[in-house]
Amino acid sequence: MSSSYKGADLVAIRDFSRDQIEHIMDLAEKMVPIALGQERSDLLAGYVQSSLFFEPSTRTRLSFASAMARLGGATLGFDQPGGSSVQKGETLADTIKMVDSYSDVIVLRHHSEGSARLAAYFAEKPVINAGDGAGQHPTQTILDLFTIRKAKGKIDGVNVALVGDLKYGRTAHSLAEALALFGAELMFVAPANLQMPKETIRAVDKLGGKPKTMTSIEQAVPEADVLYITRIQKERFPDLAEYQKVAGSYKINNALLKDAKTELSIMHPLPRVDEIHPDVDLSPHALYFQQAFNGVPVRMAILALLLGVIE
Amino acid sequence: MIEFKVTPIRNGTVIDHITVGMALNVLKIIGIKGENVQSTVSVLMHVPSKKAGWKDIVKIEDRELDPKELDKVALISPNATINIIRDYNVAEKFVVEVPDVVKGIVKCQNPGCITNMHEPIEPEFLVESKKPPMLRCIYCDRIMTEVSDYII
């Protein structure tokens, strides 16, 4: 693989080709023992990561910090804008220009869509989008692909059901497109008013995926190799009763899973509210905590590639 | 005797076949404001048109606008034509064409887009489709089609 990663930004999953994403996943695989603490590394010793989290995050922020620390690098930044000059009215552009001179790579989560693209415009150093409002979250998409590949040995031909709010959750859109790019078979399970937007279905079709859409999770369970559950966002519903009706219809519990394939894996980007009953945690189907761990080796690989220490 | 509602201009630019109701938006999009014009500007609204039933027309006297500059008119009025008038004759005639990139003319319709947050950048769009105009914000990726409502 070429050194085309060095200095590149990762703003949207579309910024990278399938080959490049495969290469990230291959490298992430090699990072696993270091991520687990079984091996030590000083690959990124002397490198500094700016971690700018304008919005709350547990997994993404900590896994980036863990990835950097495991490779011997340092992290600076904030996890709420209250402690920064942003509160004094500083523009994001100014904040970015400043941290660009303090660090080698910038990890940004911000509430405004397009913020990471703006940061990439102003920064000379690589910018990694760690979620821009309802926009993109490409490292999550790559770790989801990695998790499926690791659990199933491949992505091509794996039947993945995406379940929940598929209309508003744009991370579900980019995941659907990425899965189609890798040849997965797709089922979109959502209430009629929260189904995948037409543009995404068209994009998936164009990539050769022939997604099935359905409202019933019971219909999807027996066919699926992976059930990917997303949280139904309460704030999207004008009527609370309507929300409860919908949210209740996609609860995963052991009774629902009685017709599932034995090797079915359940994924969830977390945090969950009550989409998955805690009893399921103990079943062999539960993959979501492994998925959360996978954020570390995947982000290690991305940092090492964008910083150019590995090609 | 023939009565002209608006007389022909001797020299200048005529933007014809403007989608009816869009004349004022055309002036806005090409940056013609009261204080920066030294000559007469005539705006005709709701004029009978053989092609479209009704149309608007804008005439700017004594000023030849750069046709490239005028391509952005196509965003709100895809069938507009530009006539450069010299000594009462049409010296040049162009059909406007939507450019490939639109920068600083239209704001993003997504209220959550970073370009709507007082950052020091101009909104910028890639043109996904020209007829009808469909723009993709290079920042937030949102597609917009109702361009005329968002002219800066």
Side-chain angles (χ1 to χ4, degrees):
Chain A
M1 198 72 204
S2 75
S3 60
S4 57
Y5 298 91
K6 188 178 179 181
D9 302 302
L10 179 49
V11 173
I13 192 75
R14 257 184 270 146
D15 292 351
F16 284 164
S17 66
R18 178 178 173 164
D19 281 352
Q20 285 179 305
I21 298 168
E22 293 266 16
H23 185 60
I24 293 170
M25 294 196 283
D26 293 344
L27 183 57
E29 196 64 62
K30 293 181 193 151
M31 295 288 186
V32 169
I34 308 170
L36 286 167
Q38 293 162 351
E39 289 175 21
R40 304 288 159 203
S41 169
D42 58 0
L43 194 66
L44 296 182
Y47 285 94
V48 177
Q49 158 183 267
S50 278
S51 168
L52 311 183
F53 279 73
F54 290 81
E55 272 197 335
S57 157
T58 309
R59 266 154 300 277
T60 306
R61 184 172 60 82
L62 294 181
S63 64
F64 265 111
S66 172
M68 198 65 184
R70 292 283 194 200
L71 293 176
T75 300
L76 49 86
F78 51 82
D79 57 9
Q80 46 187 2
S84 73
S85 53
V86 171
Q87 211 177 27
K88 299 172 193 158
E90 184 172 64
T91 61
L92 177 62
D94 281 3
T95 306
I96 293 296
K97 281 188 257 184
M98 178 197 65
V99 299
D100 198 31
S101 64
Y102 295 167
S103 56
D104 305 298
V105 58
I106 298 168
V107 177
L108 175 71
R109 169 167 293 188
H110 194 276
H111 42 81
S112 294
E113 288 154 48
S115 50
R117 189 69 73 194
L118 174 135
Y121 177 81
F122 285 102
E124 284 179 25
K125 309 287 170 52
V127 170
I128 302 174
N129 186 1
D132 57 340
Q136 298 275 334
H137 193 359
T139 62
Q140 178 74 43
T141 306
I142 298 172
L143 84 85
D144 290 342
L145 294 172
F146 178 77
T147 302
I148 294 171
R149 194 180 82 161
K150 206 166 161 53
K152 306 294 173 196
K154 59 175 188 173
I155 300 172
D156 194 16
V158 174
N159 192 324
V160 182
L162 299 179
V163 183
D165 169 10
L166 304 182
K167 182 178 181 182
Y168 297 105
R170 288 184 75 197
T171 48
H173 309 167
S174 39
L175 179 61
E177 286 185 38
L179 285 166
L181 180 70
F182 278 81
E185 289 171 23
L186 292 167
M187 293 189 279
F188 298 151
V189 186
N193 55 343
L194 289 178
Q195 190 48 269
M196 197 65 94
K198 285 192 183 70
E199 305 92 76
T200 309
I201 294 182
R202 261 204 300 275
V204 165
D205 272 335
K206 229 171 155 180
L207 291 163
K210 290 182 186 64
K212 292 186 200 164
T213 56
M214 56 192 82
T215 52
S216 151
I217 192 166
E218 286 80 4
Q219 195 187 334
V221 164
E223 277 186 60
D225 300 312
V226 174
L227 271 184
Y228 192 106
I229 320 294
T230 60
R231 186 169 68 89
I232 293 192
Q233 290 163 300
K234 210 177 191 171
E235 56 273 21
R236 304 290 183 198
F237 287 81
D239 180 356
L240 193 64
E242 196 63 25
Y243 160 75
Q244 275 155 351
K245 204 166 81 189
V246 170
S249 61
Y250 294 111
K251 277 188 184 153
I252 309 293
N253 52 39
N254 285 332
L256 177 78
L257 297 174
K258 65 182 190 317
D259 295 329
K261 293 181 184 173
T262 45
E263 66 278 19
L264 169 76
S265 298
I266 298 170
M267 294 172 65
H268 191 302
L270 305 178
R272 62 177 156 179
V273 181
D274 53 5
E275 300 90 1
I276 303 174
H277 193 279
D279 285 354
V280 178
D281 296 0
L282 301 171
S283 86
H285 300 304
L287 194 59
Y288 30 93
F289 292 116
Q290 181 63 40
Q291 180 187 1
F293 162 75
N294 288 342
V296 180
V298 165
R299 288 170 176 129
M300 290 165 97
I302 292 168
L303 287 167
L305 288 165
L306 299 190
L307 287 167
V309 297
I310 291 183
E311 288 194 351
Chain B
M1 198 178 99
I2 302 166
E3 186 196 338
F4 287 103
K5 284 186 180 147
V6 175
T7 53
I9 63 171
R10 180 170 190 156
N11 293 305
T13 307
V14 173
I15 308 173
D16 199 357
H17 302 291
I18 297 170
T19 306
V20 71
M22 284 292 162
L24 296 177
N25 278 331
V26 165
L27 288 177
K28 201 171 167 191
I29 211 169
I30 62 178
I32 299 272
K33 295 177 189 145
E35 67 271 22
N36 65 357
V37 187
Q38 308 301 324
S39 59
T40 304
V41 175
S42 326
V43 176
L44 290 87
M45 296 180 82
H46 220 262
V47 180
S49 158
K50 280 183 202 139
K51 281 190 209 161
W54 300 98
K55 64 177 178 180
D56 288 358
I57 305 172
V58 166
K59 300 184 179 197
I60 303 145
E61 289 184 38
D62 299 326
R63 196 164 145 193
E64 291 188 9
L65 295 170
D66 177 3
K68 275 227 161 316
E69 229 348 72
L70 293 172
D71 270 347
K72 52 196 176 190
V73 169
L75 288 172
I76 52 170
S77 191
N79 298 316
T81 56
I82 311 296
N83 300 282
I84 303 293
I85 310 294
R86 291 178 197 138
D87 203 18
Y88 295 112
N89 291 312
V90 177
E92 290 172 59
K93 191 170 181 131
F94 310 92
V95 178
V96 292
E97 198 196 327
V98 177
D100 295 331
V101 176
V102 172
K103 191 173 181 182
I105 305 166
V106 180
K107 68 173 186 171
C108 184
Q109 72 177 36
N110 172 10
C113 177
I114 191 75
T115 57
N116 288 321
M117 305 292 166
H118 307 290
E119 293 289 337
I121 36 154
E122 285 188 312
E124 190 173 339
F125 302 84
L126 293 177
V127 177
E128 294 269 310
S129 125
K130 297 198 172 188
K131 266 190 187 181
M134 199 189 273
L135 309 183
R136 181 189 287 276
C137 173
I138 69 156
Y139 292 94
C140 78
D141 233 23
R142 189 71 66 89
I143 300 255
M144 56 190 281
T145 48
E146 296 306 315
V147 179
S148 61
D149 295 341
Y150 295 94
I151 297 166
I152 294 170

